[in-house]
Amino acid sequence: LVIHPGDLKKGELTQVIELVRACQMTPVIITSKELSYLDDSVEQLVDPCAGKLSPLYSESLGLVEGSQCSIPLFSLQAMASGRPIIALDSDFNSQVLGEFSSFLHFSMKELLDQVKNVRQISYDPKKLRVHASRYSQIRFKAGLIRKLKEIGHPVTFSKN
């Protein structure tokens, strides 16, 4: 199970890791900086590139998303790989996850219960991929260019 700690407190992350291990799964932490309080037995991927994340998600049961205060990019990447998300409810998460709001939980207890039952989550990988594609960078740029042209704004590109 892949875990993005995001806004999880040290004790909450420790609870998630212990539960993942108790359920005989291997936790893999993806983070922007190494978390020194975790022991060496916990695999940490610091600033992983997309080339590492895609196969990681594909081989995992899903992603535990701890971020609540920013756009959940790791959630979108996991969904693009057809994997479910287990996340705490927040404005960002509910807007981005949209129709998959059943992946959102209102308390740490609910999130931990879902981690325990991750193998029973019902989801359609194809629908997850389609949903995540709505947030692709290429699609965003094309939509922006289309809107700018509609309002008569010249669109030019620099080589920088």
Side-chain angles (χ1 to χ4, degrees):
L1 196 58
V2 180
I3 304 166
H4 175 239
D7 303 313
L8 292 177
K9 296 177 182 96
K10 179 180 174 180
E12 293 170 332
L13 177 57
T14 302
Q15 276 185 295
V16 172
I17 292 169
E18 288 172 0
L19 180 60
V20 168
R21 286 182 168 160
C23 294
Q24 301 192 354
M25 297 179 280
T26 303
V28 178
I29 309 298
I30 52 176
T31 183
S32 59
K33 62 181 180 182
E34 189 168 338
L35 303 175
S36 59
Y37 58 85
L38 296 178
D39 64 56
D40 292 339
S41 69
V42 178
E43 183 179 357
Q44 295 187 58
L45 296 177
V46 179
D47 281 330
C49 65
K52 282 189 175 184
L53 287 175
S54 185
L56 176 67
Y57 289 135
S58 295
E59 295 171 6
S60 75
L61 292 170
L63 170 74
V64 176
E65 176 62 83
S67 182
Q68 296 177 23
C69 300
S70 62
I71 295 173
L73 296 176
F74 290 109
S75 292
L76 288 170
Q77 292 168 339
M79 291 173 80
S81 295
R83 293 298 175 249
I85 311 304
I86 300 171
L88 289 170
D89 190 30
S90 72
D91 288 340
F92 284 110
N93 288 339
S94 62
Q95 285 181 5
V96 171
L97 296 179
E99 67 186 276
F100 299 99
S101 62
S102 62
F103 292 157
L104 298 175
H105 305 286
F106 298 99
S107 70
M108 195 61 194
K109 183 189 179 321
E110 285 182 18
L111 184 133
L112 292 170
D113 287 344
Q114 192 65 39
V115 166
K116 196 182 311 178
N117 298 310
V118 67
R119 289 182 175 95
Q120 283 76 46
I121 294 176
S122 176
Y123 65 97
D124 181 344
K126 289 179 186 174
K127 286 184 178 180
L128 291 174
R129 288 184 192 103
V130 168
H131 182 80
S133 74
R134 294 179 188 149
Y135 294 89
S136 80
Q137 189 175 23
I138 294 168
R139 192 172 182 170
F140 174 78
K141 286 179 183 178
L144 180 61
I145 290 168
R146 188 173 46 253
K147 288 292 183 191
L148 288 171
K149 286 181 179 179
E150 282 176 14
I151 62 171
H153 193 282
V155 179
T156 58
F157 298 94
S158 68
K159 292 186 179 188
N160 295 336

